[in-house]
Amino acid sequence: MNIDEMQAGPELDALVAEKVMGFVWEKSNNGNWIHPNGFTLVNVPDYSTDIAEAFLVSQKIAEKIFIDDSLDPNCEKGINSLALVQVGVKDWCAAFMSDCDLPEDWIEDANSLPFANNASTPALAICRAALKVVMSTELANG
């Protein structure tokens, strides 16, 4: 699966709900989603198309992810920042990072950052970047 090529919509929203937000698929209840707080949802929120929902995704990353020194051995803050910048006329770049690993010229080469994504909308860029964070953490933790 190439996260950078995923399109906004229900498939991406479902992946974000599961991997980032912690929703559990409940098969015995007509295929509904179970929210981490225990209530049932029929539909997953529109994370990849609604900026308000996408900002909830970025908050979850800040709460959930702590990578001690994988980005910078001198920095122990983990991932605590979301940079969201409009690039050109049509594109957006979202990047999750520690305060310690943001190079001054990061916008010029955002794709070189491990947890960044360029997309046509800010919500899509945030969701893709968040998936990169969570999936790389899953791989690192086995």
Side-chain angles (χ1 to χ4, degrees), residues 14-106:
L15 190 60
V16 169
E18 179 183 356
K19 297 289 187 185
V20 179
M21 304 304 284
F23 287 30
V24 178
W25 186 247
E26 178 60 57
K27 293 183 181 185
S28 63
N29 194 13
N30 297 323
N32 290 333
W33 285 91
I34 305 298
H35 188 273
N37 292 341
F39 57 87
T40 302
L41 298 173
V42 175
N43 295 312
V44 173
D46 298 323
Y47 296 118
S48 63
T49 57
D50 182 335
I51 190 62
E53 296 292 343
F55 279 127
L56 295 176
V57 171
S58 70
Q59 287 176 330
K60 181 60 87 172
I61 291 293
E63 294 169 7
K64 185 176 184 178
I65 304 299
F66 185 88
I67 301 176
D68 287 332
D69 60 0
S70 63
L71 300 176
D72 183 341
N74 298 316
C75 180
E76 296 184 9
K77 294 183 179 179
I79 293 176
N80 56 17
S81 297
L82 166 66
L84 181 63
V85 178
Q86 188 168 7
V87 181
V89 177
K90 297 182 181 179
D91 289 327
W92 290 85
C93 180
F96 288 99
M97 64 202 74
S98 136
D99 288 337
C100 299
D101 63 52
L102 182 59
E104 288 184 27
D105 61 346
W106 75 272

